[in-house]
Amino acid sequence: MSVAAETTSSLERSVTVDVPEERISSAVEERLKSMSRTSRVQGFRPGKAPLRVMKQRFGAQVRKEVVEKLVTSSFYEAVNREELKPVGMPLIDPLQEKVGEGLSYTATFEVLPEIKLNPVEKLEIEKPVCPIADVDIDGMIERLRRQRRDFRVEERAAQDGDRVNVNCRGQVDGEALDNLTMENVDIELGQNQFIPGLEEGLIGASAGQSLTLDLTFPDDYSNEELAGKPALFELEVNHVAQAVLPELDAAFFEAFGVKDGDEQAFRQEIRQHMEREIEAATRTRFRDEIMKSLYEANEIELPNTLVNAEFQRMRNMFIKDMSERGLSSEASSELLDSDYVQNTARRQVTLQLLTAQIISSQQLSANPEKVREIIEKRAQSYEDSAALVNWYYNDKERLAEVEALALEDEVINWVASKGAVKEVPLSFDELMNKGQTHQHA
């Protein structure tokens, strides 16, 4: 077999392969001999049909099958001989094959880029640290109380934090719209869940009162037909209800698993829960910071094959997610921001190549103790934790997923040990990124 390799671009290669007729005919004859031992051919006892008869009956089909297999096997033989690393499936063109003349084809494909990692020591990486203060615990307890709050109807004007029940009729360009007409809708003041001005306009309103609000939809409103447009809202107030938070008593503590009715025990339980949240959030934020630093410090020419495959994977995940929410694939495709997904796909592929280079160059591997630690942490919340641990270790695919996480931790630890890490103190709210503990009730 002869092979001629050519560089067609920085990441594209082609190999022209010639497979001699002898290799094809030999493989065909071996296949026919094997078939003759078991084939039933009319006029002959099972397994006794002569080779010439087998050639007449099955020769063309067997040759086609042999050629198809030879294209695959000879391609990988060729790239191994030339020490090339193809990405994805090759484009085979043209394929020439004729009895007596052998097989020839040209395969074009992309290869992985050669990656030279820029000095990790120059990376400036922020590592969040988040000590828990009493005010954070107080804020979390208030949040839990708000989650279990009731509303009591009051005979007074609405205040910030109240829930106002209204009938609403909205007009745009003088036309009443069905999607802006609602009966008995609850609006909680101060939550900013409606367009600007609506909640503020209800402050001071009382049951039985009617009012008209001239408002404007935000420019970035989700409904593009309404975005940026002025609107007239006619509101009738049905009733005003005040939020009533539960008392910090034994019943409240028990609802969160603290059965002795002690507030200090409850606060300790809250602290431990927050510490687990902080551990997970700081690890995720630190990982993201490291990946961001790696990405920004290393520009790589990417194979289109890998980028397109990642783009398609992300696109399929988006459409599947939307489908589970009841949206058709056509509608999902219209919502898909292809530019954003394409850019994200390029970032993902870049980071995959960079981490693979670090793993290879530093000879990193998944630490079995770390793998066990991850699995046991996942098992903590299950009643039969030992069964879940065995569930992971008895399935190679599930175990491989955890090993990949442990290997990623090795990459993170290596980069962190080399880079310039600066600790950045964050409050619990800042770390969790949602202002969870100090939202206005």
Side-chain angles (χ1 to χ4, degrees):
M1 185 179 85
S2 65
V3 179
E6 181 182 356
T7 299
T8 52
S9 72
S10 56
L11 292 183
E12 189 178 83
R13 305 288 185 272
S14 70
V15 290
T16 299
V17 180
D18 291 302
V19 181
E21 174 64 27
E22 292 78 10
R23 183 169 172 179
I24 301 173
S25 58
S26 175
V28 170
E29 188 164 330
E30 286 298 316
R31 174 67 177 142
L32 289 171
K33 285 180 180 179
S34 175
M35 290 173 60
S36 68
R37 300 188 189 102
T38 56
S39 296
R40 293 178 177 272
V41 179
Q42 189 174 2
F44 299 93
R45 286 180 297 168
K48 296 299 182 179
L51 187 59
R52 60 178 177 79
V53 174
M54 294 296 293
K55 286 181 179 179
Q56 291 173 353
R57 292 283 185 92
F58 307 109
Q61 179 60 33
V62 168
R63 183 180 178 90
K64 181 180 177 182
E65 295 171 359
V66 166
V67 167
E68 289 176 354
K69 291 182 179 180
L70 271 176
V71 170
T72 300
S73 61
S74 62
F75 169 73
Y76 287 108
E77 184 181 337
V79 295
N80 287 335
R81 184 186 298 182
E82 297 295 324
E83 297 183 343
L84 299 171
K85 297 179 180 179
V87 176
M89 297 302 295
L91 175 64
I92 306 294
D93 184 48
L95 180 66
Q96 297 178 344
E97 181 274 322
K98 191 175 182 180
V99 176
E101 297 181 5
L103 164 69
S104 68
Y105 62 86
T106 298
T108 304
F109 51 91
E110 287 186 299
V111 295
L112 289 173
E114 184 177 344
I115 299 174
K116 185 178 180 181
L117 199 68
N118 287 323
V120 178
E121 291 77 8
K122 294 185 178 180
L123 297 182
E124 296 182 355
I125 308 164
E126 293 186 349
K127 181 178 182 179
V129 291
C130 180
I132 298 179
D134 286 341
V135 66
D136 295 317
I137 298 176
D138 293 340
M140 179 58 72
I141 290 174
E142 284 305 297
R143 177 176 177 244
L144 296 176
R145 293 179 72 196
R146 287 198 302 273
Q147 287 177 353
R148 292 174 176 266
R149 69 191 181 278
D150 289 323
F151 283 88
R152 181 179 62 224
V153 174
E154 298 284 353
E155 296 297 329
R156 60 165 174 78
Q159 301 173 3
D160 194 20
D162 286 344
R163 178 180 288 177
V164 182
N165 183 274
V166 302
N167 299 332
C168 174
R169 182 173 179 266
Q171 300 179 42
V172 175
D173 296 330
E175 179 183 354
L177 301 180
D178 290 341
N179 59 339
L180 300 181
T181 300
M182 297 168 282
E183 297 287 329
N184 293 309
V185 60
D186 286 323
I187 299 177
E188 193 167 343
L189 307 187
Q191 296 299 303
N192 299 319
Q193 295 177 340
F194 293 82
I195 70 171
L198 194 147
E199 293 177 27
E200 294 86 345
L202 285 170
I203 292 178
S206 302
Q209 183 177 347
S210 297
L211 60 158
T212 301
L213 300 178
D214 287 307
L215 305 175
T216 301
F217 284 95
D219 292 336
D220 60 352
Y221 192 64
S222 57
N223 186 332
E224 294 182 358
E225 294 181 357
L226 298 178
K229 288 191 174 183
L232 184 70
F233 285 88
E234 297 175 345
L235 303 169
E236 296 176 1
V237 179
N238 297 318
H239 62 253
V240 175
Q242 177 182 339
V244 180
L245 302 184
E247 296 294 329
L248 292 176
D249 55 19
F252 184 78
F253 301 150
E254 187 171 354
F256 293 94
V258 179
K259 298 182 179 180
D260 60 9
D262 181 70
E263 184 173 348
Q264 283 305 115
F266 176 66
R267 291 181 69 87
Q268 183 60 27
E269 179 70 21
I270 295 299
R271 175 181 287 275
Q272 291 173 356
H273 175 77
M274 292 174 70
E275 286 174 346
R276 288 192 293 270
E277 283 191 312
I278 287 172
E279 181 185 1
T282 51
R283 183 172 60 248
T284 299
R285 181 82 71 94
F286 190 43
R287 173 205 175 276
D288 291 346
E289 286 293 323
I290 284 179
M291 291 301 179
K292 176 186 174 184
S293 298
L294 276 175
Y295 178 73
E296 292 177 349
N298 296 275
E299 187 174 348
I300 303 173
E301 185 179 6
L302 302 176
N304 290 325
T305 304
L306 291 182
V307 175
N308 292 338
E310 181 66 14
F311 174 88
Q312 195 60 43
R313 184 191 71 80
M314 295 176 65
R315 179 182 182 277
N316 291 342
M317 284 182 61
F318 177 81
I319 291 176
K320 180 182 177 183
D321 181 53
M322 291 297 102
S323 174
E324 290 173 353
R325 301 184 188 192
L327 205 62
S328 68
S329 58
E330 293 80 8
S332 299
S333 297
E334 291 179 4
L335 289 175
L336 188 71
D337 186 342
S338 295
D339 289 340
Y340 172 79
V341 176
Q342 183 74 15
N343 292 334
T344 305
R346 295 187 67 83
R347 185 180 189 277
Q348 289 294 97
V349 172
T350 299
L351 290 173
Q352 289 166 10
L353 294 176
L354 288 172
T355 53
Q357 174 65 18
I358 292 172
I359 291 168
S360 174
S361 63
Q362 302 304 314
Q363 298 182 330
L364 302 179
S365 59
N367 186 326
E369 293 181 1
K370 183 65 177 179
V371 172
R372 185 83 184 185
E373 179 186 335
I374 293 173
I375 292 174
E376 288 181 346
K377 275 190 176 181
R378 292 185 175 184
Q380 284 177 353
S381 58
Y382 288 81
E383 185 174 343
D384 190 349
S385 58
L388 188 73
V389 171
N390 291 333
W391 182 74
Y392 273 102
Y393 279 101
N394 289 331
D395 187 293
K396 290 183 178 179
E397 288 188 10
R398 285 192 287 263
L399 185 59
E401 291 176 2
V402 180
E403 288 173 340
L405 292 175
L407 186 53
E408 184 181 82
D409 278 350
E410 294 296 319
V411 173
I412 297 301
N413 293 338
W414 181 81
V415 175
S417 70
K418 301 292 182 182
V421 177
K422 175 186 176 183
E423 291 189 347
V424 178
L426 296 176
S427 69
F428 185 77
D429 274 357
E430 290 170 332
L431 176 65
M432 304 312 293
N433 229 0
K434 294 180 181 178
Q436 290 186 359
T437 59
H438 303 301
Q439 290 176 351
H440 190 80

